[in-house]
């Protein structure tokens, strides 16, 4: 098997790591494969990925309303029947699809295939457009608009891995539109290059069938040419069409030849011209009149090239039976012909040239080197008997007046088609406005200015677009025209063409600016300077969905013909298309601004005061959209601190809103002093409940939210972590050693039913904990392992503050153009001075309560906290008494001197006290009420050994 570019492809099933299967697998894993995959296949794979298609996708849309007896079906039915007979007994699957990719007809070389294949490959009606079926012959031929071959694993979907196919667009010979696609599918083991000639010949026959359904005037002109005997009169030996003339000609070159032929018909003059091609080659075209028997007058354009006629037909290889001869009355051209101009070639003789035979190479060399003579001015032989008579073949036939309008229409359609591809490639208002200018210059205008209101540039609607216009784009064939610069506020007077077009909503044409009403009223000096460079103007409003977005000015330079009414209509259509793209960009800008504002409002605005860690953080939104990344720093009891980082998969307003709900819930669960694994368990249940309550949540991607929660205790320098499908943290020791702990990954939040595991690490003082979301390390163009190594090297060298570490990481590790949000949290650990910690162990004996009160009083005196002694003494007395009465020994008392005084009493019981309102006659029940009144806050946290009752006292006294 041989690629279209000449590189061999191994037949049979490709092993993993080699051939199409290996390249495809590496592409799906995110590895670069530019050097091993054909450009068209790689481009298709990328489009499929952007569309969200997956290889295991099997369902295709099915249309019941397709037309089973349409124009192309009538033209193709005899051809498909003939192909079926040709490939009888083989595993050939012959398909005809319409211009939307819907299969209209199926034929099989072996009848049993129709019963053995799944309906998706055997029943008409399924849609094989690339956007729904992935990379396949039919879809790729429509996307690329040219012959396509797809081999085995080059298919994006798994269903076609064992097959290969060839597909060829079928065009209407008169309009140039793609009417359908002819596709030959077969097992990879029977791949044969001769199928190129078979499918091309079949497609030509279908195109001739479409031509036969065209108008009588067009057929009459073509028949007049065929009956004229011009070949014998000119002394030519054989005839070639544009297909045989340049079978390997690039589409751009072929378009140049066809456009020149249309111009010759429009001129209605005898002519012989050489058409230069961009690569230095030439094609000679001869124009002459022809009149049909019914009196229809037209012109024919013939291509002339020297060289002998080829001898003998192409012999197909034995592996594929030679198809029966397909009758050829005309050989239609493949490039875009014109309405009213029939591209065709003369009837094929038994020795007709084949595109893969000797003539093809000769024709290609002639086009590349140019035509070196052999004819007079009208294309006839020059009389030199030593020269071979030239070949002359029909390129196009048509009526001059029809050709004139068709040529102009074609150019307008080409401009709009090019603009449709160019406009809206970015969701940026300024970028889209520049795309409009680049699409119009130089094919329609020589200079283009675009003025948009400041509100539109911000993503809003302008209350009065005439009052706050700003010059957004200036683009032209030169840079010396004195237009107002970009960024300057533009104030058009009421008589200016731009103001009139904004008021009417219609394009305003000023063929001669010197005579334009109001042109000099705004700024006479500047207007006069501008007239030294331009002389004609079309001012067209940019209106989309009833909203005026701005105004565009199209100018013709001095020496160019003035604008006409057709140009005004074209400018209006072009501006309408551009306005839709600008409005889409504006709406996107507004939505992104709103989502970003919501996202930032939900994130912590300031880091809470605490001494356990020194924290710095960054949030970097994606360039394309805003996601659901978040972080948080939560002070906990016992001088501990909780560090959160999470990511809600997806982008947009829903992801940001969901992030806010998860962020709030995570903070609440953390403040209840749950350990990290339990916090993740509660969050997992919450996400599952959100999915059940919101049917649209699954489509929005709530399932798949990830999270990492770490709790650091400065009294023990221990850090406990748990994660739910989130990237592991990076830990940096004081000596600069960086490691990524082997932390159990856990499932993403929302799956439910699976446990989370917590892991504990010892972090010496001045260690760094680096938490981040996957946007930092995941990049389409970089391997994750490589990025993690870059992160390790960067952190090992970052010896500054956490804020400096954040800057270093974002400048060296973060992708230049992030496609996902990035949340980064860096915490440098501190340790609580052991001299600020006091601990006592005591048995469950009520007699020891007084001893604890006395020891605590002495310790507070040593710390210089005599004013807090009274409240601390009462609190400790109550908490220790409750532990002795209702808990289980041994009992531990701990005092922590930090920003406040923290009293802790722990025991091995799991029962927690509850605050209640005691009645006037109750003898007890007021202890915790007193604790709550004497302290800032109090609570309970559970440990593996039991529980801790804590209370925080202010140092300013009770």
């Amino acid at each position: 098997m041989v690629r279209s570019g000449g590189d061999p492809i191994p037949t049979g099933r490709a092993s993993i790591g080699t051939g199409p299967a290996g390249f495809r697998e590496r592409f799906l894993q995110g590895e670069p494969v530019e050097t091993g995959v054909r450009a068209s296949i790689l481009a298709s794979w990328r489009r499929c990925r952007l569309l969200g298609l997956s290889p295991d996708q099997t369902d295709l849309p099915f249309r019941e309303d397709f037309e089973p007896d349409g124009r192309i079906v009538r033209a193709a039915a005899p051809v498909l029947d003939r192909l079926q007979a040709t490939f009888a007994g083989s595993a050939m699957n012959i398909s005809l699809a319409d211009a939307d990719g819907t299969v209209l007809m199926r034929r099989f070389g072996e009848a049993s295939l129709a019963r053995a294949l799944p309906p998706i490959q055997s029943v008409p009606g399924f849609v094989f457009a690339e956007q729904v079926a992935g990379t396949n012959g039919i879809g790729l031929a429509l996307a690329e608009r040219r012959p396509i071959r797809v081999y085995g694993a080059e298919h994006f979907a798994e269903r076609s891995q064992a097959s290969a196919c060839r597909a060829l667009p079928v065009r209407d010979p008169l309009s140039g539109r793609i009417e359908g696609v002819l596709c030959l599918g077969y097992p990879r083991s029977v791949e044969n290059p001769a199928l190129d000639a078979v499918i091309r010949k079949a497609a030509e026959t279908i195109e001739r069938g479409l031509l036969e359904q065209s108008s009588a005037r067009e057929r009459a002109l073509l028949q007049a040419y065929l009956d004229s005997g011009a070949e014998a009169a000119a002394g030519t030996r054989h005839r070639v069409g544009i297909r045989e003339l340049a079978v390997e000609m690039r589409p751009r070159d072929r378009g140049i030849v066809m456009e020149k032929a249309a111009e010759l018909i429009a001129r209605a003059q005898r002519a012989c011209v050489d058409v230069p091609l961009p690569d230095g080659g030439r094609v000679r075209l001869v124009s002459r009149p022809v009149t049909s028997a019914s009196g229809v007058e037209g012109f024919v354009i013939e291509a002339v090239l020297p060289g002998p006629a080829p001898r003998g037909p192409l012999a197909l290889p034995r592996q594929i039976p030679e198809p029966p001869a397909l009758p050829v009355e005309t050989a239609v051209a493949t490039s875009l012909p014109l309405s009213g101009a029939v591209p065709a070639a003369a009837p094929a003789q038994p020795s007709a040239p084949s595109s893969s035979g000797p003539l093809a190479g000769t024709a290609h060399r002639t086009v590349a080197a140019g035509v070196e003579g052999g004819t007079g001015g009208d294309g006839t032989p020059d009389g030199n008997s030593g020269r071979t008579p030239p070949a002359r073949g029909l390129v196009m036939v048509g009526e001059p007046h029809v050709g004139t309008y068709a040529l102009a229409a074609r150019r307008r359609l080409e401009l709009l088609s090019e603009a449709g591809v160019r406009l809206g490639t970015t969701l940026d208002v300024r970028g889209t406005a520049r795309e409009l200018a680049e699409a119009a210059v130089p094919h329609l205008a020589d200079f283009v200015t675009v003025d948009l209101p400041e509100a539109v540039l911000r993503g809003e609607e302008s209350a009065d677009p005439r009052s706050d216009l700003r010059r957004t784009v200036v683009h032209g064939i030169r840079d010396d025209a004195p237009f107002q610069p970009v960024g300057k506020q533009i104030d058009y007077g009421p008589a200016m063409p731009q103001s009139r077009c904004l008021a009417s909503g219609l394009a305003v044409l000023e063929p001669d600016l010197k005579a334009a009403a109001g042109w000099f009223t705004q700024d006479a000096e500047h207007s006069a300077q501008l007239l030294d460079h331009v002389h004609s103007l079309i001012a067209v409003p940019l209106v989309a969905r009833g909203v005026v977005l701005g105004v565009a000015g199209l100018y013709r330079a001095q020496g160019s013909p003035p604008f006409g009414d057709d140009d005004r209509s074209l400018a209006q259509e072009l501006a309408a298309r551009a306005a839709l793209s600008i409005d889409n960009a504006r709406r996107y800008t507004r939505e992104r601004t709103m989502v970003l504002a919501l996202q930032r409002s939900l994130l912590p605005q300031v880091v809470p005061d605490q001494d356990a860690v020194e924290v710095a953080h960054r949030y970097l939104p994606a360039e394309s959209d805003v996601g659901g990344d978040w972080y948080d720093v939560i002070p906990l009891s016992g001088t501990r601190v909780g560090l959160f980082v999470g990511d809600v998969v997806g982008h947009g307003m829903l992801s940001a809103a969901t992030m806010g709900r998860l962020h709030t819930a995570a903070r609440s669960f953390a403040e209840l002093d749950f350990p990290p694994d339990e916090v993740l368990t509660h969050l997992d249940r919450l996400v599952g409940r959100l999915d059940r309550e919101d049917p649209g949540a699954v489509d929005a991607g709530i399932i798949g939210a990830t999270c990492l929660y770490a709790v650091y205790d400065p009294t023990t320098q221990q850090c406990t972590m748990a994660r739910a499908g989130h990237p592991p943290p990076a830990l940096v020791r004081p000596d600069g050693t960086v490691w990524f702990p082997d932390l159990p990954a856990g499932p993403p939040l929302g799956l439910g039913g699976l446990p989370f595991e917590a892991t504990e690490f010892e972090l010496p003082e001045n260690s760094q904990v680096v938490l981040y979301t996957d946007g930092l390390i995941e990049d389409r163009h970089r391997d994750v392992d490589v990025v993690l190594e870059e992160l390790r090297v960067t952190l090992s060298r970052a010896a500054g503050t956490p804020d400096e570490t954040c800057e270093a990481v974002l400048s060296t590790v973060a992708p230049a153009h992030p496609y996902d949000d990035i949340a980064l949290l860096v915490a440098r650990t501190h340790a609580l001075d052991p001299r600020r910690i006091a601990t006592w162990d005591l048995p469950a004996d009520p007699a020891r309560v007084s001893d604890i009160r006395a020891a605590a009083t002495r310790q507070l005196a040593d710390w210089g906290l005599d004013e807090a002694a009274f409240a601390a003494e009462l609190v400790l007395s109550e908490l220790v008494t409750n532990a002795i009465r209702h808990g289980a020994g041994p009992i531990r008392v701990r005092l922590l001197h930090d920003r406040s005084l923290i009293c802790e009493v722990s025991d091995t019981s799991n029962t927690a006290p509850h605050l209640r309102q005691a009645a006037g006659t109750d003898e007890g029940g007021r202890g915790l009420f007193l604790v709550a009144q004497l302290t800032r806050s109090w609570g309970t946290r559970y440990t593996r050994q039991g529980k801790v009752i804590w209370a925080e006292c202010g140092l300013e006294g009770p």
Side-chain angles (χ1 to χ4, degrees), residues 586-607:
R586 179 190 67 82
R587 290 167 178 260
Y588 168 78
T589 301
R590 180 184 60 184
E591 180 179 349
R592 188 176 189 274
T593 302
M594 293 172 56
V595 174
L596 186 58
L598 173 63
Q599 173 87 340
R600 293 191 183 279
S601 68
L602 294 174
L603 293 174
Q605 303 302 308
V606 294
V607 177

PDB file of all heavy atoms in Angstrom, residues 586-607:
ATOM      1  N   ARG A 586     -18.711  39.421  21.860  1.00  0.00           N
ATOM      2  CA  ARG A 586     -19.153  40.335  22.913  1.00  0.00           C
ATOM      3  C   ARG A 586     -19.893  39.600  24.013  1.00  0.00           C
ATOM      4  O   ARG A 586     -19.641  39.809  25.211  1.00  0.00           O
ATOM      5  CB  ARG A 586     -20.055  41.420  22.314  1.00  0.00           C
ATOM      6  CG  ARG A 586     -20.594  42.418  23.332  1.00  0.00           C
ATOM      7  CD  ARG A 586     -21.660  43.296  22.713  1.00  0.00           C
ATOM      8  NE  ARG A 586     -22.855  42.549  22.363  1.00  0.00           N
ATOM      9  CZ  ARG A 586     -23.825  42.220  23.226  1.00  0.00           C
ATOM     10  NH1 ARG A 586     -23.714  42.561  24.500  1.00  0.00           N
ATOM     11  NH2 ARG A 586     -24.880  41.543  22.824  1.00  0.00           N
ATOM     12  N   ARG A 587     -20.813  38.724  23.610  1.00  0.00           N
ATOM     13  CA  ARG A 587     -21.564  37.958  24.606  1.00  0.00           C
ATOM     14  C   ARG A 587     -20.632  37.056  25.416  1.00  0.00           C
ATOM     15  O   ARG A 587     -20.805  36.895  26.629  1.00  0.00           O
ATOM     16  CB  ARG A 587     -22.643  37.115  23.924  1.00  0.00           C
ATOM     17  CG  ARG A 587     -23.776  37.945  23.350  1.00  0.00           C
ATOM     18  CD  ARG A 587     -24.657  37.118  22.426  1.00  0.00           C
ATOM     19  NE  ARG A 587     -25.769  37.883  21.908  1.00  0.00           N
ATOM     20  CZ  ARG A 587     -27.010  37.822  22.389  1.00  0.00           C
ATOM     21  NH1 ARG A 587     -27.283  37.012  23.385  1.00  0.00           N
ATOM     22  NH2 ARG A 587     -27.968  38.558  21.866  1.00  0.00           N
ATOM     23  N   TYR A 588     -19.668  36.473  24.733  1.00  0.00           N
ATOM     24  CA  TYR A 588     -18.711  35.632  25.447  1.00  0.00           C
ATOM     25  C   TYR A 588     -17.901  36.465  26.432  1.00  0.00           C
ATOM     26  O   TYR A 588     -17.658  36.042  27.576  1.00  0.00           O
ATOM     27  CB  TYR A 588     -17.786  34.938  24.453  1.00  0.00           C
ATOM     28  CG  TYR A 588     -16.606  34.275  25.111  1.00  0.00           C
ATOM     29  CD1 TYR A 588     -16.746  33.057  25.763  1.00  0.00           C
ATOM     30  CD2 TYR A 588     -15.353  34.875  25.102  1.00  0.00           C
ATOM     31  CE1 TYR A 588     -15.665  32.455  26.385  1.00  0.00           C
ATOM     32  CE2 TYR A 588     -14.271  34.284  25.714  1.00  0.00           C
ATOM     33  CZ  TYR A 588     -14.434  33.075  26.355  1.00  0.00           C
ATOM     34  OH  TYR A 588     -13.354  32.484  26.970  1.00  0.00           O
ATOM     35  N   THR A 589     -17.467  37.654  25.983  1.00  0.00           N
ATOM     36  CA  THR A 589     -16.712  38.526  26.871  1.00  0.00           C
ATOM     37  C   THR A 589     -17.531  38.896  28.094  1.00  0.00           C
ATOM     38  O   THR A 589     -17.032  38.890  29.230  1.00  0.00           O
ATOM     39  CB  THR A 589     -16.287  39.797  26.120  1.00  0.00           C
ATOM     40  OG1 THR A 589     -15.488  39.429  24.993  1.00  0.00           O
ATOM     41  CG2 THR A 589     -15.499  40.724  27.020  1.00  0.00           C
ATOM     42  N   ARG A 590     -18.816  39.213  27.882  1.00  0.00           N
ATOM     43  CA  ARG A 590     -19.673  39.559  29.010  1.00  0.00           C
ATOM     44  C   ARG A 590     -19.850  38.378  29.955  1.00  0.00           C
ATOM     45  O   ARG A 590     -19.726  38.517  31.182  1.00  0.00           O
ATOM     46  CB  ARG A 590     -21.042  40.022  28.501  1.00  0.00           C
ATOM     47  CG  ARG A 590     -22.015  40.409  29.622  1.00  0.00           C
ATOM     48  CD  ARG A 590     -23.376  40.753  29.061  1.00  0.00           C
ATOM     49  NE  ARG A 590     -23.965  39.634  28.340  1.00  0.00           N
ATOM     50  CZ  ARG A 590     -25.122  39.675  27.689  1.00  0.00           C
ATOM     51  NH1 ARG A 590     -25.795  40.807  27.647  1.00  0.00           N
ATOM     52  NH2 ARG A 590     -25.590  38.612  27.062  1.00  0.00           N
ATOM     53  N   GLU A 591     -20.125  37.204  29.388  1.00  0.00           N
ATOM     54  CA  GLU A 591     -20.324  36.038  30.236  1.00  0.00           C
ATOM     55  C   GLU A 591     -19.047  35.679  30.986  1.00  0.00           C
ATOM     56  O   GLU A 591     -19.077  35.351  32.174  1.00  0.00           O
ATOM     57  CB  GLU A 591     -20.782  34.849  29.385  1.00  0.00           C
ATOM     58  CG  GLU A 591     -21.021  33.598  30.204  1.00  0.00           C
ATOM     59  CD  GLU A 591     -21.492  32.433  29.355  1.00  0.00           C
ATOM     60  OE1 GLU A 591     -21.834  32.658  28.175  1.00  0.00           O
ATOM     61  OE2 GLU A 591     -21.503  31.315  29.865  1.00  0.00           O
ATOM     62  N   ARG A 592     -17.924  35.756  30.279  1.00  0.00           N
ATOM     63  CA  ARG A 592     -16.660  35.433  30.937  1.00  0.00           C
ATOM     64  C   ARG A 592     -16.368  36.421  32.053  1.00  0.00           C
ATOM     65  O   ARG A 592     -15.891  36.033  33.128  1.00  0.00           O
ATOM     66  CB  ARG A 592     -15.519  35.436  29.920  1.00  0.00           C
ATOM     67  CG  ARG A 592     -14.197  34.929  30.472  1.00  0.00           C
ATOM     68  CD  ARG A 592     -13.141  34.879  29.382  1.00  0.00           C
ATOM     69  NE  ARG A 592     -11.955  34.212  29.848  1.00  0.00           N
ATOM     70  CZ  ARG A 592     -10.970  34.819  30.513  1.00  0.00           C
ATOM     71  NH1 ARG A 592     -11.068  36.124  30.754  1.00  0.00           N
ATOM     72  NH2 ARG A 592      -9.910  34.141  30.910  1.00  0.00           N
ATOM     73  N   THR A 593     -16.660  37.697  31.820  1.00  0.00           N
ATOM     74  CA  THR A 593     -16.449  38.701  32.860  1.00  0.00           C
ATOM     75  C   THR A 593     -17.333  38.420  34.069  1.00  0.00           C
ATOM     76  O   THR A 593     -16.887  38.517  35.223  1.00  0.00           O
ATOM     77  CB  THR A 593     -16.733  40.106  32.306  1.00  0.00           C
ATOM     78  OG1 THR A 593     -15.880  40.348  31.180  1.00  0.00           O
ATOM     79  CG2 THR A 593     -16.486  41.162  33.360  1.00  0.00           C
ATOM     80  N   MET A 594     -18.597  38.052  33.802  1.00  0.00           N
ATOM     81  CA  MET A 594     -19.513  37.750  34.903  1.00  0.00           C
ATOM     82  C   MET A 594     -19.060  36.516  35.672  1.00  0.00           C
ATOM     83  O   MET A 594     -19.054  36.502  36.912  1.00  0.00           O
ATOM     84  CB  MET A 594     -20.928  37.550  34.359  1.00  0.00           C
ATOM     85  CG  MET A 594     -21.553  38.804  33.773  1.00  0.00           C
ATOM     86  SD  MET A 594     -23.123  38.469  32.949  1.00  0.00           S
ATOM     87  CE  MET A 594     -24.046  37.693  34.271  1.00  0.00           C
ATOM     88  N   VAL A 595     -18.681  35.470  34.938  1.00  0.00           N
ATOM     89  CA  VAL A 595     -18.249  34.240  35.605  1.00  0.00           C
ATOM     90  C   VAL A 595     -16.977  34.481  36.395  1.00  0.00           C
ATOM     91  O   VAL A 595     -16.815  33.987  37.518  1.00  0.00           O
ATOM     92  CB  VAL A 595     -18.057  33.118  34.567  1.00  0.00           C
ATOM     93  CG1 VAL A 595     -17.479  31.879  35.226  1.00  0.00           C
ATOM     94  CG2 VAL A 595     -19.385  32.781  33.899  1.00  0.00           C
ATOM     95  N   LEU A 596     -16.063  35.256  35.801  1.00  0.00           N
ATOM     96  CA  LEU A 596     -14.816  35.542  36.498  1.00  0.00           C
ATOM     97  C   LEU A 596     -15.074  36.357  37.757  1.00  0.00           C
ATOM     98  O   LEU A 596     -14.460  36.109  38.805  1.00  0.00           O
ATOM     99  CB  LEU A 596     -13.861  36.286  35.563  1.00  0.00           C
ATOM    100  CG  LEU A 596     -12.452  36.536  36.085  1.00  0.00           C
ATOM    101  CD1 LEU A 596     -11.777  35.224  36.438  1.00  0.00           C
ATOM    102  CD2 LEU A 596     -11.627  37.294  35.064  1.00  0.00           C
ATOM    103  N   ALA A 597     -16.004  37.317  37.674  1.00  0.00           N
ATOM    104  CA  ALA A 597     -16.350  38.095  38.870  1.00  0.00           C
ATOM    105  C   ALA A 597     -16.982  37.205  39.934  1.00  0.00           C
ATOM    106  O   ALA A 597     -16.666  37.326  41.131  1.00  0.00           O
ATOM    107  CB  ALA A 597     -17.305  39.228  38.487  1.00  0.00           C
ATOM    108  N   LEU A 598     -17.869  36.290  39.498  1.00  0.00           N
ATOM    109  CA  LEU A 598     -18.464  35.352  40.453  1.00  0.00           C
ATOM    110  C   LEU A 598     -17.396  34.449  41.057  1.00  0.00           C
ATOM    111  O   LEU A 598     -17.377  34.218  42.269  1.00  0.00           O
ATOM    112  CB  LEU A 598     -19.536  34.515  39.750  1.00  0.00           C
ATOM    113  CG  LEU A 598     -20.142  33.367  40.567  1.00  0.00           C
ATOM    114  CD1 LEU A 598     -20.871  33.906  41.793  1.00  0.00           C
ATOM    115  CD2 LEU A 598     -21.094  32.541  39.698  1.00  0.00           C
ATOM    116  N   GLN A 599     -16.519  33.948  40.198  1.00  0.00           N
ATOM    117  CA  GLN A 599     -15.468  33.061  40.670  1.00  0.00           C
ATOM    118  C   GLN A 599     -14.594  33.745  41.713  1.00  0.00           C
ATOM    119  O   GLN A 599     -14.316  33.187  42.779  1.00  0.00           O
ATOM    120  CB  GLN A 599     -14.618  32.619  39.476  1.00  0.00           C
ATOM    121  CG  GLN A 599     -13.383  31.811  39.829  1.00  0.00           C
ATOM    122  CD  GLN A 599     -13.666  30.341  39.938  1.00  0.00           C
ATOM    123  OE1 GLN A 599     -14.805  29.946  40.118  1.00  0.00           O
ATOM    124  NE2 GLN A 599     -12.643  29.537  39.827  1.00  0.00           N
ATOM    125  N   ARG A 600     -14.159  34.965  41.408  1.00  0.00           N
ATOM    126  CA  ARG A 600     -13.267  35.660  42.344  1.00  0.00           C
ATOM    127  C   ARG A 600     -13.995  36.037  43.629  1.00  0.00           C
ATOM    128  O   ARG A 600     -13.396  36.064  44.705  1.00  0.00           O
ATOM    129  CB  ARG A 600     -12.689  36.909  41.673  1.00  0.00           C
ATOM    130  CG  ARG A 600     -11.744  36.579  40.514  1.00  0.00           C
ATOM    131  CD  ARG A 600     -10.987  37.811  40.056  1.00  0.00           C
ATOM    132  NE  ARG A 600     -10.124  37.538  38.915  1.00  0.00           N
ATOM    133  CZ  ARG A 600      -8.929  36.990  38.983  1.00  0.00           C
ATOM    134  NH1 ARG A 600      -8.452  36.643  40.179  1.00  0.00           N
ATOM    135  NH2 ARG A 600      -8.192  36.786  37.904  1.00  0.00           N
ATOM    136  N   SER A 601     -15.290  36.332  43.544  1.00  0.00           N
ATOM    137  CA  SER A 601     -16.035  36.680  44.760  1.00  0.00           C
ATOM    138  C   SER A 601     -16.211  35.483  45.675  1.00  0.00           C
ATOM    139  O   SER A 601     -16.338  35.643  46.897  1.00  0.00           O
ATOM    140  CB  SER A 601     -17.401  37.251  44.384  1.00  0.00           C
ATOM    141  OG  SER A 601     -18.233  36.259  43.797  1.00  0.00           O
ATOM    142  N   LEU A 602     -16.228  34.290  45.098  1.00  0.00           N
ATOM    143  CA  LEU A 602     -16.393  33.087  45.911  1.00  0.00           C
ATOM    144  C   LEU A 602     -15.082  32.606  46.522  1.00  0.00           C
ATOM    145  O   LEU A 602     -15.095  31.815  47.460  1.00  0.00           O
ATOM    146  CB  LEU A 602     -16.999  31.965  45.055  1.00  0.00           C
ATOM    147  CG  LEU A 602     -18.426  32.210  44.559  1.00  0.00           C
ATOM    148  CD1 LEU A 602     -18.847  31.106  43.614  1.00  0.00           C
ATOM    149  CD2 LEU A 602     -19.391  32.319  45.728  1.00  0.00           C
ATOM    150  N   LEU A 603     -13.970  33.058  45.975  1.00  0.00           N
ATOM    151  CA  LEU A 603     -12.674  32.678  46.527  1.00  0.00           C
ATOM    152  C   LEU A 603     -12.349  33.563  47.723  1.00  0.00           C
ATOM    153  O   LEU A 603     -12.860  34.679  47.846  1.00  0.00           O
ATOM    154  CB  LEU A 603     -11.585  32.815  45.458  1.00  0.00           C
ATOM    155  CG  LEU A 603     -11.676  31.846  44.279  1.00  0.00           C
ATOM    156  CD1 LEU A 603     -10.618  32.190  43.228  1.00  0.00           C
ATOM    157  CD2 LEU A 603     -11.527  30.413  44.730  1.00  0.00           C
ATOM    158  N   PRO A 604     -11.487  33.108  48.632  1.00  0.00           N
ATOM    159  CA  PRO A 604     -11.121  33.937  49.794  1.00  0.00           C
ATOM    160  C   PRO A 604     -10.488  35.254  49.355  1.00  0.00           C
ATOM    161  O   PRO A 604      -9.593  35.275  48.510  1.00  0.00           O
ATOM    162  CB  PRO A 604     -10.126  33.054  50.553  1.00  0.00           C
ATOM    163  CG  PRO A 604     -10.389  31.665  50.080  1.00  0.00           C
ATOM    164  CD  PRO A 604     -10.856  31.786  48.661  1.00  0.00           C
ATOM    165  N   GLN A 605     -10.957  36.335  49.890  1.00  0.00           N
ATOM    166  CA  GLN A 605     -10.415  37.638  49.543  1.00  0.00           C
ATOM    167  C   GLN A 605      -9.156  37.950  50.343  1.00  0.00           C
ATOM    168  O   GLN A 605      -8.238  38.608  49.833  1.00  0.00           O
ATOM    169  CB  GLN A 605     -11.469  38.713  49.789  1.00  0.00           C
ATOM    170  CG  GLN A 605     -12.766  38.477  49.031  1.00  0.00           C
ATOM    171  CD  GLN A 605     -12.554  38.401  47.521  1.00  0.00           C
ATOM    172  OE1 GLN A 605     -11.942  39.284  46.936  1.00  0.00           O
ATOM    173  NE2 GLN A 605     -13.059  37.349  46.900  1.00  0.00           N
ATOM    174  N   VAL A 606      -9.108  37.510  51.593  1.00  0.00           N
ATOM    175  CA  VAL A 606      -7.932  37.703  52.450  1.00  0.00           C
ATOM    176  C   VAL A 606      -7.651  36.391  53.166  1.00  0.00           C
ATOM    177  O   VAL A 606      -8.547  35.570  53.388  1.00  0.00           O
ATOM    178  CB  VAL A 606      -8.150  38.837  53.472  1.00  0.00           C
ATOM    179  CG1 VAL A 606      -8.290  40.171  52.770  1.00  0.00           C
ATOM    180  CG2 VAL A 606      -9.365  38.557  54.336  1.00  0.00           C
ATOM    181  N   VAL A 607      -6.398  36.201  53.520  1.00  0.00           N
ATOM    182  CA  VAL A 607      -6.010  35.009  54.281  1.00  0.00           C
ATOM    183  C   VAL A 607      -6.281  35.277  55.758  1.00  0.00           C
ATOM    184  O   VAL A 607      -5.874  36.321  56.289  1.00  0.00           O
ATOM    185  CB  VAL A 607      -4.523  34.687  54.055  1.00  0.00           C
ATOM    186  CG1 VAL A 607      -4.102  33.501  54.910  1.00  0.00           C
ATOM    187  CG2 VAL A 607      -4.273  34.403  52.593  1.00  0.00           C
TER     188      VAL A 607
END
